C-alpha cells in the first residue's frame, strides 16, 4: 500500500486573486474555531496605483491549523516564475501539513474519520515581511467597502 504522503520537494502553486492586494501592506488574521479570515489592504487598477475604497478578506473554509511567520523572505518558491501581481499560494508536498495531519489523526482517530479524507490544502498568504499559513479545505475572496471595514480600514488609510 502506498503512503498517502510521498517525500517530494515542497513548492508554491500560485492562485491569482480577483482583487489587487497591496504588496507592501500588512495582513491581519482573525481566527476562531468557527472561522478564519485574513484581511489586507487593496490597490485600485489606476496608474500609479492608489488605495482602493475597499479592503480584501480571504475567508478560509474549515480551517483547522494556522501559523504566522514575520520574516522578509519565505524559503519555499514556485517551480517557475511568479505569474500574478496579486496572489495566494498552495504549498504542495507540505511538510507542515503532513506533521499536523498526523498529530490530529493520532489524537482524534475515531472522530477524525469523517474529516481526514476531505481535500485540505496548505495555503500561504503573503504580506510585507509577514506570512500566514493556513490549513483549510478551500477559500473565498471578498471585498469589504471602507465604510464597512471598521477597525480594519487602517489597512487602506494613507
Amino acid at each position: 500500500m502506498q503512503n498517502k504522503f510521498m517525500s517530494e520537494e515542497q513548492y508554491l502553486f500560485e492562485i491569482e486573486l480577483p482583487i489587487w492586494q497591496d504588496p507592501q501592506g500588512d495582513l491581519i488574521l482573525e481566527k476562531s474555531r468557527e472561522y478564519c479570515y485574513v484581511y489586507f489592504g487593496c490597490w485600485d487598477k489606476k496608474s500609479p496605483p492608489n488605495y482602493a475604497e475597499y479592503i480584501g478578506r480571504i475567508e478560509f473554509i474549515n480551517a483547522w491549523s494556522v501559523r504566522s511567520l514575520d520574516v522578509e523572505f519565505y524559503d519555499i518558491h514556485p517551480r517557475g516564475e511568479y505569474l500574478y501581481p496579486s496572489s495566494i499560494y498552495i504549498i504542495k508536498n507540505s511538510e507542515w501539513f503532513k506533521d499536523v495531519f498526523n498529530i490530529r489523526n493520532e489524537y482524534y482517530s475515531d472522530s477524525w474519520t469523517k474529516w481526514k479524507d476531505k481535500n485540505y490544502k496548505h495555503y500561504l498568504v503573503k504580506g510585507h515581511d509577514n506570512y500566514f499559513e493556513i490549513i483549510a479545505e478551500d477559500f473565498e475572496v471578498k471585498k469589504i467597502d471602507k465604510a464597512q471595514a471598521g477597525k480594519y480600514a487602517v489597512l487602506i488609510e494613507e
Side-chain angles (χ1 to χ4, degrees):
M1 185 166 145
Q2 193 174 19
N3 186 342
K4 180 173 181 166
F5 300 118
M6 303 300 291
S7 290
E8 295 181 35
E9 183 179 356
Q10 299 178 97
Y11 67 94
L12 299 180
F13 177 79
E14 192 173 12
I15 301 169
E16 185 175 24
L17 291 175
I19 52 182
W20 193 3
Q21 177 187 352
D22 172 5
Q24 299 169 359
D26 199 8
L27 299 173
I28 298 173
L29 173 74
E30 190 175 66
K31 169 78 170 90
S32 78
R33 286 179 54 113
E34 302 300 319
Y35 62 87
C36 179
Y37 303 145
V38 175
Y39 297 89
F40 53 88
C42 292
W43 285 353
D44 62 25
K45 302 273 181 175
K46 299 175 187 169
S47 182
N50 296 306
Y51 283 107
E53 290 297 314
Y54 56 86
I55 63 170
R57 180 170 76 191
I58 302 173
E59 299 180 0
F60 288 94
I61 299 161
N62 291 326
W64 54 267
S65 195
V66 173
R67 69 181 179 181
S68 174
L69 187 61
D70 292 341
V71 295
E72 188 172 347
F73 300 104
Y74 194 75
D75 62 351
I76 301 172
H77 307 282
R79 288 191 166 164
E81 297 294 318
Y82 289 96
L83 303 173
Y84 308 112
S86 184
S87 54
I88 69 168
Y89 307 90
I90 295 174
I91 299 177
K92 299 289 191 168
N93 305 317
S94 166
E95 293 295 327
W96 180 55
F97 178 85
K98 293 173 198 175
D99 290 344
V100 295
F101 181 94
N102 289 333
I103 290 168
R104 192 164 177 134
N105 195 46
E106 179 181 334
Y107 286 102
Y108 301 105
S109 60
D110 294 335
S111 61
W112 179 236
T113 309
K114 67 180 182 176
W115 293 99
K116 71 180 178 182
D117 293 327
K118 291 187 176 204
N119 191 18
Y120 289 103
K121 298 166 200 73
H122 177 179
Y123 293 97
L124 172 71
V125 183
K126 293 183 359 178
H128 181 70
D129 296 348
N130 70 320
Y131 302 84
F132 288 124
E133 296 178 76
I134 296 131
I135 293 179
E137 198 173 353
D138 205 354
F139 70 94
E140 294 178 5
V141 179
K142 299 198 173 171
K143 289 182 185 180
I144 300 174
D145 291 331
K146 185 176 183 177
Q148 304 298 315
K151 64 185 176 184
Y152 299 127
V154 69
L155 293 167
I156 54 175
E157 292 174 351
E158 297 184 58

